[in-house]
Amino acid sequence: MKQWIKAASLGLVILSSSMYANAAEAAQKIGYVSTGQAMSELAARYNVQEKLQKEFSGRVAALRAIEGKMKTKIDKMKRDGELMTPKQRTDIQRELAALDSDYKLKAKALAEDQRRRGMEEEQKLVKKIRTAIDTVAKKNGYNVVLDAQAVLFASKSDDLSSKVIAAVK
């Protein structure tokens, strides 16, 4: 009877260890995606940079117009400065100060708005990439998908980058 219990116990241990080994093997399907590469390729595909440039082109033109006015005033000051009356010089200096203040204010607002819109477009791409990663991982049976920067070594067969880029709509 003792031998039968020992044999049953040994069989149970072997059976349970093989079940754990199979479970561990099934949980090890890990892939990776180069998100940096995906972001740059998708940004180029969707012409994000051109889209933002078109959106802000009017404001950039307004800043260039202010720069032109300032250059004209400075050139006039250099050219005719000695012939001007003190009042004329003071008036031009005040105009330059006002233009400079206006330019700085508009340039700062433009830079902030461009940064904000750039982040919004980036977040849209990130959302699309994450959705594509989920879709590709589920379709190919991956349990874990990492960023390629976090991977020290992996097989090229586990690189899902091209599949993810292709899956983004």
Side-chain angles (χ1 to χ4, degrees), residues 9 34 48 51 62 73 79 84 97 103 108 117 133 141 149 168:
S9 297
S34 177
V48 172
K51 183 179 175 182
K73 299 281 183 193
R79 186 182 61 238
M84 292 181 178
Y103 179 83
K108 183 179 178 183
R117 281 289 294 128
I133 288 171
Q149 291 180 339
V168 173

Side-chain angles (χ1 to χ4, degrees), residues 6-22:
K6 285 182 183 179
S9 297
L10 183 60
L12 186 61
V13 167
I14 291 172
L15 180 64
S16 65
S17 66
S18 68
M19 285 176 36
Y20 286 125
N22 288 338

